[in-house]
Amino acid sequence: MPLLKDSEIIADTWLRLEDNASVPATGDIIVPFARLLAEFGKLSKRRGRVGIEFPNAERAEVLESFLPALSLVALPFPKFADGRAYSQARQLRQLGFAGELRASGDVLPDQLAFMLEVGFDTFEITTRFSPDIWRRTAQGLSLSYQPVKQQKRLHVWRERQLRGERSCRA
Amino acid sequence: MYRYDEFDHRFVAERVAQFRDQAERRLSGELTEEEFKPLRLMNGLYLQLHAYMLRVAIPYGTLSARQMRRLADVADKYDRGYGHFTTRQNIQYNWIKLEETANLLAELSEVEMHAIQTSGNCIRNVTTDHWAGAAADELADPRPVAELLRQWSTLHPEFSFLPRKFKIAVTGAPNDRAAVKVHDIGLRMHANDKGEHGWEVIVGGGLGRTPLIGFTVRNFLPEADLLTYLEAIMRVYNLHGRRDNKYKARIKILVHELGEENFRAEVEAEFNRQTKLDVEVEQHELERISAYFAAPDFEVLPKRSADYEIAFARNPDFAQWVRSNIAAHRRDGYAIVNISLKPEGGIPGDATSDQMRSIADLADRFSFDEIRVSHHQNLVLPHVKQDDLYKVWKVLRANDLATANIGAAGDIIACPGLDYCTLATARSIPIAQTISRRFADLNRQHEIGPLRINISGCINACGHHHVGHIGILGLEKKGVEYYQITLGGSSATDASIGTILGPGFSGDEVPDAIETIVKTYLDVRKGGDETFLDVIRRAGHAPFKEALYAPAQRQ
Ligand code: SF4
């Protein structure tokens, strides 16, 4: 499955481990959240980074104490219309998670801009759409009425305040 | 009223371009209908029984003359010469082609209008009191906050794929004309003893299959906390609202299943966790917006106008219209003009392009360029001098817009029903039309007094039948339409959900049943001051049941 980051397809260096697959001694792995709970001691001692796939139904707060040990959290979109992961992503960022946030599941070009804004970095995508469409839809609109993450976009309210200040001084 | 700046203009223009691209990808087959559906819905485009329907947002129901003229032009160019004003203060066009929609949206954007988030599982057009800024009883104009909410909720990255649609209503007056208790979130302004304004936050009201009155999560939320608090509510809903059954997905069900106390605790915990949004930026924006809603340059006028009183005394038709369609204005010498879109036998909420243009002209000349859409599917000229009322009335009458029935039996709310809607189980427009003909005599409507008849064509309740004094719900059994009648609903400050009166009626029987109910009311009331709703609340359903069902049982 291609992995998208900054509008480019990149190599995925992470290995997804299913429920009972054995854990390799080295390398970056993504395990289900349940395995993290069950095997945290073992997982944190190995060489190589650890990431998890975090279910939509879990509360972000339960991850708080694990976050320093995690380099990646993957949040699934079971259907593109199921938007729970947008809130989970923002919660994780608000809890201070600075690692990679990955969107998996039903990730489509027309939702890409929203995902970037709530804090996702990488996207597991299908080959159905041309790379060009992903580039076109990444930024979304150049303006936003909410605070923005992406550098090329402007937060309308902030811009207005800045201009107001400038014109006051002038 | 609010005007777009360069940013708003650019935003909407880019949005149109984005939609054009999406529509082209759909037309070329690159997007499946399933993938395109949420995209078109976020631009207000529905697939109905016969064609696409486009719902255009009229933020908090406020329009300028120029915007109204453009709506008329769109009706002529892209529809069949009319538009349909809705219970959410929007306008719908029923005969739209997908290929033309992007051009239509581009024409709307020229007059600062759009169709963003008029459908889909996102935060919908924010509605408010249709007399905002004009009503005599108002604490303050709620529209600056409504505009702030419009912008905040527009393409919100976190809240665009909610479990279900989400409706917010705002009022700045103690007499609730925005139905805040039957919205997902209702906001009602209060003042504290220092004179500061804050918001009562009401959550979990709604109609549909499970009608519920909302509950107050906060009595007095400081204005500076408003958006952060709303984000907390939205997040709790987005994360925990049900997604397994679309009929249980509204926030009211979450509130109901968690219980009010648990729901409040969730929201407060989330609110405390939230990094405060940038309050300074927000306050700056609210101040900037508020400047646009400064009161127009009202003249200082005497309380009573001689011209108006002479016309009132001389012309009984005018006097009758004044009695039902004029409301008190906050300024001496001014009046609020309510324009009924419910002529005898008409389709509730429909206006022809010519009617729209004549109303635009009136707004230009007599109402500081302002028009409002009410959630009763009527229009309002909010700031008319008493001196001008007679002139305004004559123009309205010449355009079949002066029906003197605001708030009376003929002022019926009806959803599109089986004539247009794919979900309908029964017709609602023809029922509204026959009832309206039955009660055509305006003297009789005035004799009956305030009466709200609301009709829905299926259990989804778009016609708000639960909050009609008389509610009519169209259902279907074995291919035959029948209608269930509820009594005692209200969406006003004392909001209540109507309860079912008894076995249903066929479409043909409905007008007689309504007639019987009204006659019973007239018999039972203790005088002209006791309204229909008062009687229901005093005497209950018994006299009405007796009148409607007992004769049949005795036979
Ligand atoms: S109440 Fe039912 S029939 Fe009427 S508009 Fe809504 S969904 Fe359609």
Side-chain angles (χ1 to χ4, degrees), chain A residues 13 21 26 36 43 67 74-76 96 100 103-104 106 108 110 123 137 150 168:
Chain A
T13 60
T26 58
L36 182 80
L43 288 169
L67 287 178
L75 296 170
E100 177 176 336
S104 64
D106 201 8
L108 299 174
D110 290 288
F123 307 88
T137 53
Q150 297 185 80
C168 288

Side-chain angles (χ1 to χ4, degrees), chain A residues 59 61 80-84 86-88 90-91 94 108 110-111 114 117-118 128-129 133 136-137 140-146 154-161 163, chain B residues 2 5-8 10-11 14 21-22 25 30 35 38-39 148 151-152 154-158 160-161 227 231 235 238-240 243 266 270 275 280-281 284-285 288:
Chain A
R59 286 168 180 267
E61 306 95 85
F80 68 85
D82 183 340
R84 287 174 293 179
Y86 293 104
S87 286
Q88 289 179 308
R90 266 189 82 197
Q91 284 182 315
Q94 284 176 356
L108 299 174
D110 290 288
Q111 280 82 54
F114 289 148
E117 280 303 340
V118 296
R128 244 189 73 203
F129 303 94
I133 292 214
R136 231 172 28 183
T137 53
L141 307 187
S142 71
L143 300 174
S144 168
Y145 290 107
Q146 300 81 25
L154 295 178
H155 177 205
V156 174
W157 292 359
R158 180 100 196 106
E159 288 306 306
R160 283 174 178 155
Q161 194 196 21
R163 289 193 184 196
Chain B
Y2 186 69
D5 67 354
E6 58 187 297
F7 293 111
D8 298 311
R10 196 164 116 202
F11 188 95
E14 286 184 19
D21 175 63
Q22 291 164 344
R25 281 188 282 145
E30 196 179 337
E35 286 160 351
L39 305 176
L148 188 79
Q151 296 188 23
W152 159 76
T154 296
L155 303 196
H156 196 298
E158 185 177 346
S160 289
F161 292 92
L227 290 189
E231 293 225 341
R235 183 173 290 175
N238 191 36
L239 285 168
H240 306 300
R243 292 177 187 264
E266 288 277 355
E270 191 57 49
T275 17
E280 208 191 304
V281 172
H284 177 274
E285 183 57 27
R288 189 191 72 88

Side-chain angles (χ1 to χ4, degrees), chain B residues 415-417 421 423-424 456-458 460-463:
Chain B
C415 78
C421 177
L423 304 170
S456 302
C458 82
N460 289 317
C462 304

